[in-house]
Amino acid sequence: MKQIFLFGLLIGGFALSGMAQQNDPKAKTILDGVSKKFKTLNTVVANFSLKVDGANNKVTDSKKGQVWMKGNKYKVAMDGQELISDNKTSWTYTKESNEVTINNVDQSNATLTPAKLFTNFYDKDYLYRLADETTEKGKSLQNIEMTPTDKSKPTFKVVVSVDKKTQTIYRVKTFNKDGNRFTYEITSFTPNVPVNEGLFTFDPKKYPGVEVVDLR
Protein backbone atom coordinates (compact mmCIF):
# COMPACT_ATOMS: atom_id res chain seq x y z
CA MET A 1 0.00 0.00 0.00
CA LYS A 2 1.28 3.46 -0.87
CA GLN A 3 2.47 5.67 1.95
CA ILE A 4 -0.34 7.65 3.51
CA PHE A 5 0.36 10.76 5.53
CA LEU A 6 -2.19 12.18 7.91
CA PHE A 7 -3.01 15.61 6.58
CA GLY A 8 -2.67 14.83 2.90
CA LEU A 9 -5.35 12.20 3.28
CA LEU A 10 -7.58 14.59 5.16
CA ILE A 11 -7.18 17.23 2.49
CA GLY A 12 -8.37 14.72 -0.09
CA GLY A 13 -11.60 14.10 1.80
CA PHE A 14 -12.56 17.61 2.92
CA ALA A 15 -13.71 20.58 0.86
CA LEU A 16 -15.08 23.91 1.97
CA SER A 17 -18.53 24.60 0.64
CA GLY A 18 -19.24 28.07 2.00
CA MET A 19 -22.81 27.08 2.78
CA ALA A 20 -24.66 28.26 5.87
CA GLN A 21 -25.22 25.47 8.36
CA GLN A 22 -27.68 24.61 11.09
CA ASN A 23 -25.74 22.58 13.61
CA ASP A 24 -26.11 21.15 17.09
CA PRO A 25 -25.23 24.03 19.47
CA LYS A 26 -23.84 21.59 22.05
CA ALA A 27 -21.42 20.18 19.48
CA LYS A 28 -20.44 23.67 18.34
CA THR A 29 -19.67 24.72 21.92
CA ILE A 30 -17.33 21.73 22.30
CA LEU A 31 -15.57 22.31 18.98
CA ASP A 32 -15.26 26.04 19.59
CA GLY A 33 -13.67 25.24 22.96
CA VAL A 34 -11.06 23.05 21.25
CA SER A 35 -10.35 25.80 18.73
CA LYS A 36 -10.12 28.56 21.35
CA LYS A 37 -7.70 26.57 23.50
CA PHE A 38 -5.48 25.62 20.58
CA LYS A 39 -5.15 29.26 19.51
CA THR A 40 -3.68 30.15 22.92
CA LEU A 41 -0.76 27.71 22.51
CA ASN A 42 2.61 28.86 21.21
CA THR A 43 3.71 25.43 20.00
CA VAL A 44 2.44 21.86 19.98
CA VAL A 45 4.25 18.54 19.62
CA ALA A 46 1.95 15.55 19.19
CA ASN A 47 2.35 11.87 18.47
CA PHE A 48 -0.37 10.04 16.58
CA SER A 49 -1.27 6.69 15.11
CA LEU A 50 -3.14 5.92 11.90
CA LYS A 51 -5.08 2.72 11.36
CA VAL A 52 -6.69 1.87 8.04
CA ASP A 53 -9.59 -0.61 8.17
CA GLY A 54 -10.78 -1.98 4.86
CA ALA A 55 -14.17 -3.40 4.03
CA ASN A 56 -15.30 -6.38 6.15
CA ASN A 57 -13.32 -5.01 9.14
CA LYS A 58 -9.99 -6.04 7.64
CA VAL A 59 -7.04 -4.02 8.96
CA THR A 60 -4.97 -3.05 5.93
CA ASP A 61 -2.40 -0.67 7.39
CA SER A 62 -1.14 0.84 10.63
CA LYS A 63 1.35 3.65 11.10
CA LYS A 64 2.71 6.01 13.73
CA GLY A 65 3.91 9.57 13.34
CA GLN A 66 4.72 12.88 14.95
CA VAL A 67 3.68 16.47 14.22
CA TRP A 68 5.28 19.75 15.28
CA MET A 69 3.25 22.98 15.02
CA LYS A 70 3.94 26.65 15.62
CA GLY A 71 1.20 28.94 14.41
CA ASN A 72 0.59 27.98 10.79
CA LYS A 73 4.01 26.33 10.44
CA TYR A 74 4.25 22.56 10.75
CA LYS A 75 6.17 19.38 10.16
CA VAL A 76 4.58 15.94 9.94
CA ALA A 77 6.80 12.85 9.95
CA MET A 78 5.51 9.33 9.46
CA ASP A 79 7.09 6.12 8.15
CA GLY A 80 9.45 7.51 5.55
CA GLN A 81 7.45 10.60 4.68
CA GLU A 82 7.75 14.21 5.79
CA LEU A 83 5.39 17.09 5.16
CA ILE A 84 6.89 20.49 6.00
CA SER A 85 5.62 24.06 5.70
CA ASP A 86 6.76 27.50 6.82
CA ASN A 87 3.35 28.87 5.72
CA LYS A 88 4.86 30.21 2.47
CA THR A 89 6.44 27.10 0.96
CA SER A 90 5.60 23.43 1.46
CA TRP A 91 7.88 20.44 1.00
CA THR A 92 6.77 16.82 0.68
CA TYR A 93 9.65 14.37 1.08
CA THR A 94 9.52 10.63 0.37
CA LYS A 95 12.40 8.61 1.76
CA GLU A 96 11.91 5.58 -0.50
CA SER A 97 12.52 7.61 -3.66
CA ASN A 98 14.67 10.25 -1.93
CA GLU A 99 12.56 12.92 -3.59
CA VAL A 100 11.14 16.22 -2.36
CA THR A 101 8.32 18.12 -4.06
CA ILE A 102 8.13 21.87 -3.45
CA ASN A 103 4.97 23.96 -3.74
CA ASN A 104 3.75 27.39 -2.77
CA VAL A 105 1.32 27.25 0.14
CA ASP A 106 -2.31 27.69 -0.89
CA GLN A 107 -3.51 30.47 1.40
CA SER A 108 -7.19 29.89 0.61
CA ASN A 109 -9.54 28.33 3.13
CA ALA A 110 -9.90 25.31 0.87
CA THR A 111 -6.65 23.80 2.12
CA LEU A 112 -6.72 21.96 5.44
CA THR A 113 -3.47 22.26 7.40
CA PRO A 114 -2.55 20.66 10.75
CA ALA A 115 -3.34 23.92 12.56
CA LYS A 116 -6.77 24.16 10.91
CA LEU A 117 -7.52 20.58 11.94
CA PHE A 118 -7.30 21.68 15.58
CA THR A 119 -9.22 24.91 15.03
CA ASN A 120 -12.43 25.69 13.12
CA PHE A 121 -12.16 23.64 9.91
CA TYR A 122 -15.63 22.25 10.63
CA ASP A 123 -17.76 25.39 10.31
CA LYS A 124 -18.11 25.50 6.53
CA ASP A 125 -17.63 21.84 5.62
CA TYR A 126 -20.05 19.89 7.75
CA LEU A 127 -23.29 19.42 9.52
CA TYR A 128 -22.47 18.13 13.00
CA ARG A 129 -24.10 16.91 16.18
CA LEU A 130 -23.05 15.57 19.58
CA ALA A 131 -23.62 11.81 19.25
CA ASP A 132 -22.75 10.59 22.77
CA GLU A 133 -20.20 10.62 25.57
CA THR A 134 -18.06 7.59 26.29
CA THR A 135 -15.21 6.62 28.62
CA GLU A 136 -12.06 5.13 27.15
CA LYS A 137 -8.64 4.57 28.74
CA GLY A 138 -9.75 6.73 31.66
CA LYS A 139 -10.75 9.60 29.37
CA SER A 140 -14.22 11.08 29.10
CA LEU A 141 -14.82 11.54 25.36
CA GLN A 142 -17.41 13.72 23.66
CA ASN A 143 -18.10 12.15 20.28
CA ILE A 144 -19.25 14.49 17.53
CA GLU A 145 -20.61 13.08 14.30
CA MET A 146 -20.06 15.13 11.14
CA THR A 147 -21.51 14.72 7.66
CA PRO A 148 -20.07 16.67 4.71
CA THR A 149 -22.26 19.14 2.88
CA ASP A 150 -20.61 18.18 -0.40
CA LYS A 151 -22.00 14.70 -1.07
CA SER A 152 -19.62 14.09 -3.98
CA LYS A 153 -16.67 13.66 -1.62
CA PRO A 154 -15.33 10.15 -0.83
CA THR A 155 -15.93 10.65 2.92
CA PHE A 156 -19.55 10.36 4.04
CA LYS A 157 -19.04 10.61 7.81
CA VAL A 158 -16.43 11.79 10.31
CA VAL A 159 -16.50 11.16 14.06
CA VAL A 160 -14.36 13.54 16.14
CA SER A 161 -13.74 12.47 19.74
CA VAL A 162 -12.80 15.29 22.11
CA ASP A 163 -11.16 14.76 25.49
CA LYS A 164 -13.63 16.53 27.77
CA LYS A 165 -11.06 17.33 30.47
CA THR A 166 -8.29 18.74 28.28
CA GLN A 167 -10.47 20.12 25.46
CA THR A 168 -8.22 18.56 22.85
CA ILE A 169 -8.94 16.22 19.95
CA TYR A 170 -8.28 12.61 20.94
CA ARG A 171 -9.36 10.80 17.78
CA VAL A 172 -10.70 11.45 14.30
CA LYS A 173 -12.34 8.59 12.42
CA THR A 174 -13.36 8.99 8.78
CA PHE A 175 -15.75 6.69 6.93
CA ASN A 176 -15.40 6.43 3.15
CA LYS A 177 -17.95 5.30 0.60
CA ASP A 178 -15.62 2.53 -0.58
CA GLY A 179 -15.84 0.85 2.83
CA ASN A 180 -12.46 2.03 4.12
CA ARG A 181 -12.18 3.68 7.53
CA PHE A 182 -9.25 5.78 8.71
CA THR A 183 -8.66 6.25 12.43
CA TYR A 184 -6.26 8.96 13.58
CA GLU A 185 -5.55 8.83 17.31
CA ILE A 186 -3.54 11.43 19.19
CA THR A 187 -1.37 9.40 21.55
CA SER A 188 0.36 12.38 23.16
CA PHE A 189 -0.18 16.15 23.02
CA THR A 190 2.47 18.44 24.51
CA PRO A 191 1.92 22.22 24.35
CA ASN A 192 4.37 25.11 24.60
CA VAL A 193 7.61 23.19 24.23
CA PRO A 194 10.71 24.72 22.55
CA VAL A 195 10.64 24.00 18.80
CA ASN A 196 13.57 24.77 16.48
CA GLU A 197 12.48 27.04 13.60
CA GLY A 198 14.64 24.93 11.30
CA LEU A 199 12.05 22.15 11.53
CA PHE A 200 9.72 24.15 9.30
CA THR A 201 11.98 24.32 6.26
CA PHE A 202 13.54 21.57 4.16
CA ASP A 203 17.34 21.52 4.16
CA PRO A 204 18.56 19.46 1.17
CA LYS A 205 22.03 19.20 2.74
CA LYS A 206 20.54 16.78 5.26
CA TYR A 207 19.29 14.50 2.46
CA PRO A 208 22.31 13.60 0.28
CA GLY A 209 21.40 13.01 -3.36
CA VAL A 210 17.80 14.14 -2.93
CA GLU A 211 15.90 14.76 -6.18
CA VAL A 212 14.11 18.11 -6.12
CA VAL A 213 10.81 18.62 -7.97
CA ASP A 214 10.04 22.33 -7.80
CA LEU A 215 6.42 23.07 -8.78
CA ARG A 216 6.36 26.71 -7.72
Side-chain angles (χ1 to χ4, degrees), residues 22-200:
Q22 296 294 324
N23 289 299
D24 178 358
K26 292 181 180 179
K28 181 168 177 56
T29 296
I30 295 167
L31 293 170
D32 285 351
V34 172
S35 178
K36 182 178 180 180
K37 179 172 181 178
F38 183 84
K39 289 176 179 178
T40 67
L41 305 178
N42 294 319
T43 63
V44 167
V45 178
N47 291 301
F48 63 87
S49 64
L50 163 63
K51 184 175 72 170
V52 183
D53 294 291
N56 301 318
N57 296 316
K58 182 180 178 181
V59 177
T60 56
D61 207 357
S62 180
K63 300 178 185 297
K64 294 181 179 180
Q66 190 169 27
V67 57
W68 298 260
M69 289 175 277
K70 183 177 182 180
N72 289 318
K73 302 174 184 179
Y74 59 85
K75 177 179 179 178
V76 181
M78 184 170 68
D79 291 353
Q81 273 193 324
E82 296 178 10
L83 184 64
I84 302 168
S85 175
D86 63 3
N87 200 37
K88 294 180 180 179
T89 304
S90 67
W91 297 265
T92 302
Y93 173 73
T94 304
K95 183 177 180 180
E96 184 178 3
S97 59
N98 197 26
E99 179 181 279
V100 62
T101 302
I102 308 174
N103 283 284
N104 289 320
V105 170
D106 181 359
Q107 299 293 347
S108 72
N109 287 333
T111 301
L112 183 66
T113 66
K116 289 180 183 177
L117 177 64
F118 287 91
T119 52
N120 59 342
F121 78 92
Y122 47 86
D123 271 337
K124 297 179 181 178
D125 309 38
Y126 290 89
L127 292 170
Y128 48 83
R129 67 180 183 88
L130 178 60
D132 58 10
E133 293 192 19
T134 57
T135 300
E136 189 173 325
K137 299 178 182 178
K139 301 178 185 293
S140 179
L141 302 179
Q142 297 169 305
N143 302 300
I144 298 170
E145 185 175 301
M146 301 180 171
T147 54
T149 56
D150 186 346
K151 303 304 180 184
S152 69
K153 294 300 173 182
T155 298
F156 70 88
K157 182 173 71 172
V158 179
V159 177
V160 177
S161 298
V162 175
D163 186 322
K164 187 174 183 179
K165 181 179 180 179
T166 63
Q167 287 187 298
T168 58
I169 293 176
Y170 173 70
R171 181 170 55 225
V172 177
K173 189 169 185 177
T174 67
F175 297 78
N176 280 11
K177 295 174 183 176
D178 61 6
N180 290 325
R181 298 179 304 282
F182 302 87
T183 303
Y184 311 92
E185 188 170 302
I186 307 299
T187 54
S188 71
F189 186 94
T190 308
N192 298 327
V193 294
V195 174
N196 189 328
E197 284 286 337
L199 279 175
F200 306 119

